Amino acid sequence: MEKIIYTNSKNETIELGKKISNYLFKGATILLYGDLGAGKTTFTKGIGIGLGIEDDINSPTFNIAKCYFNKGNLNLYHIDAYRLEDVPKENKDIGLEELIEGDGVCIIEWPIFIKEMINEDDSLIITINITSDNRRKFDIKSNSSKYDKLIEEIK
């Protein structure tokens, strides 16, 4: 199942993330693809706001992973695997699998660099393309029926 949605500003990208957060559940995994500056972290910020995360969500590029704990609601695990591109598989065992399979929502930027840890068939896959300065094209798809309602209803 697949859907394409366009946003025309950072605020609209955040709003899309907030809308999607309403359909997420414990164990949800979102794989974010897109060039640098496409809006992956901005979109993640919207999901965090929608989940009720009060902390400021920013890029975990230099940390690789950030955990946002949420009292009484879903935790958010935000992974940026960009810096793991040239790291051998045996050296990537830094606890990311525990976050991916954790008790909250896991969002992974640059998932291609940790593909051996991810079940893509059980994930929501979002590709963000820059179409102009502020306009973004979100290609939202999944092979898992767990995300069917989200893809059917999100606008």
Side-chain angles (χ1 to χ4, degrees), residues 2 8 22 36 44 80 91 105 117 122 125 144 147 155:
E2 184 172 1
N8 296 299
N22 292 319
L36 289 170
T44 301
D80 185 333
N91 293 342
V105 173
M117 297 180 194
D122 199 37
I125 302 163
S144 174
Y147 300 100
K155 296 178 184 194

Side-chain angles (χ1 to χ4, degrees), residues 50-148:
L51 292 176
I53 304 289
E54 295 179 1
D55 296 328
D56 184 35
I57 294 172
N58 48 43
S59 178
T61 300
F62 296 104
N63 303 73
I64 298 174
K66 289 189 176 182
C67 304
Y68 300 95
F69 299 103
N70 193 3
K71 297 176 188 170
N73 204 344
L74 293 171
N75 295 325
L76 176 62
Y77 305 109
H78 186 193
I79 298 171
D80 185 333
Y82 186 78
R83 291 181 58 227
L84 299 176
E85 177 179 13
D86 297 321
V87 176
K89 182 180 177 180
E90 61 272 9
N91 293 342
K92 292 181 184 178
D93 187 11
I94 56 173
L96 297 180
E97 288 174 324
E98 287 81 7
L99 299 178
I100 295 167
E101 299 167 3
D103 62 348
V105 173
C106 184
I107 299 175
I108 305 170
E109 298 185 28
W110 304 97
I112 188 110
F113 300 132
I114 57 169
K115 62 184 175 195
E116 65 275 2
M117 297 180 194
I118 300 166
N119 180 358
E120 192 168 282
D121 287 333
D122 199 37
S123 301
L124 183 66
I125 302 163
I126 300 177
T127 303
I128 308 171
N129 288 297
I130 302 169
T131 60
S132 68
D133 283 348
N134 293 313
R135 190 168 168 85
R136 301 295 186 263
K137 175 185 175 191
F138 286 78
D139 185 353
I140 304 168
K141 61 185 173 183
S142 181
N143 293 324
S144 174
S145 61
K146 296 190 292 189
Y147 300 100
D148 283 354

